[in-house]
Amino acid sequence: MRNELINEYFEWMYRLVCKDAKGLSYRKLLCKLFDTPFNYTIAMDGNRAEDGVDLRYRFGYECGFDNSAVADCLDDKDCSVLEMMVALAIRCEEHIMDNPDIGDRTGKWFLDMIVNLGLEKMTDDHFDKRYVERILHRFLNREYGRNGDGGLFTVHHNRIDMRSVEIWYQAMWYLDEVLKS
């Protein structure tokens, strides 16, 4: 039961964010993101980790699993990078960018983060584990550019060093640029 629920949870997340991947498969990449703990150095990024853990219970609700089954099978590890990113993409869409005329863009926000990280070429056919690990190290240790280049969000018109602010502010500045363009 445990492995089945974990696999179903992964597939649920994959469907949420990769339906717009233009026929490309990112399963290996998303597996690596799922296996990588989301460690953070800025305290407020704990909110992103909490959102990632809460995503497990959204999955349980939407797929008909009891909270106790979710807790037993999924709550034995910290939030993963994948869970944080999926939860952030959902939050960006549902709380900030929702537009019924355009439709659900959760996958777009997720893939934008993949592109900004520099992982868009890491399809199943071209997956390079060591490259992905270097990128994740750079992201988790905030060793990306001042404007966020190499992190989740690149912002071109901001005077603040993106490495020193929580991910939520980075996302808001990024979405603000998207709206203005």
Side-chain angles (χ1 to χ4, degrees):
M1 162 81 172
R2 177 178 157 66
N3 287 340
E4 291 172 14
L5 193 128
I6 291 169
N7 290 337
E8 192 165 337
Y9 177 48
F10 175 82
E11 290 300 324
W12 177 79
M13 287 189 290
Y14 188 88
R15 286 189 306 271
L16 281 174
V17 297
C18 285
K19 60 185 170 208
D20 299 328
K22 299 177 181 126
L24 300 172
S25 178
Y26 286 98
R27 287 188 183 285
K28 291 178 182 176
L29 174 61
L30 268 62
C31 280
K32 181 63 180 166
L33 296 177
F34 191 43
D35 289 339
T36 303
F38 173 57
N39 300 317
Y40 52 91
T41 57
I42 294 181
M44 293 302 288
D45 283 340
N47 294 318
R48 305 291 62 80
E50 288 178 28
D51 283 351
V53 170
D54 289 346
L55 185 66
R56 299 167 184 176
Y57 292 90
R58 179 176 177 154
F59 155 75
Y61 176 78
E62 290 184 8
C63 296
F65 293 102
D66 294 335
N67 283 349
S68 60
V70 171
D72 290 345
C73 295
L74 299 175
D75 278 351
D76 63 340
K77 68 177 195 166
D78 293 334
C79 175
S80 70
V81 171
L82 177 63
E83 290 171 305
M84 181 279 296
M85 290 175 65
V86 171
L88 181 56
I90 290 170
R91 188 172 284 279
C92 288
E93 178 60 22
E94 293 181 351
H95 295 263
I96 309 297
M97 300 298 286
D98 183 44
N99 184 335
D101 293 334
I102 296 174
D104 183 5
R105 294 173 288 171
T106 302
K108 177 202 178 341
W109 308 128
F110 181 83
L111 290 173
D112 283 359
M113 288 184 262
I114 293 294
V115 169
N116 286 327
L117 284 166
L119 295 172
E120 71 276 11
K121 294 182 181 173
M122 292 295 103
T123 60
D124 290 350
D125 292 339
H126 299 98
F127 184 76
D128 181 338
K129 182 180 175 184
R130 280 187 250 171
Y131 174 79
V132 172
E133 287 172 347
R134 283 194 307 273
I135 295 293
L136 290 174
H137 176 84
R138 179 184 69 199
F139 162 63
L140 291 170
N141 290 288
R142 293 180 169 260
E143 296 170 355
Y144 44 83
R146 178 180 171 78
N147 69 345
D149 185 37
L152 295 177
F153 303 102
T154 302
V155 177
H156 301 287
H157 305 292
N158 192 355
R159 293 187 182 116
I160 297 173
D161 187 338
M162 297 281 276
R163 298 169 293 199
S164 67
V165 297
E166 65 179 286
I167 291 170
W168 182 249
Y169 285 152
Q170 294 179 26
M172 295 305 98
W173 291 326
Y174 176 75
L175 294 173
D176 187 53
E177 280 194 3
V178 168
L179 285 172
K180 289 178 180 175
S181 63

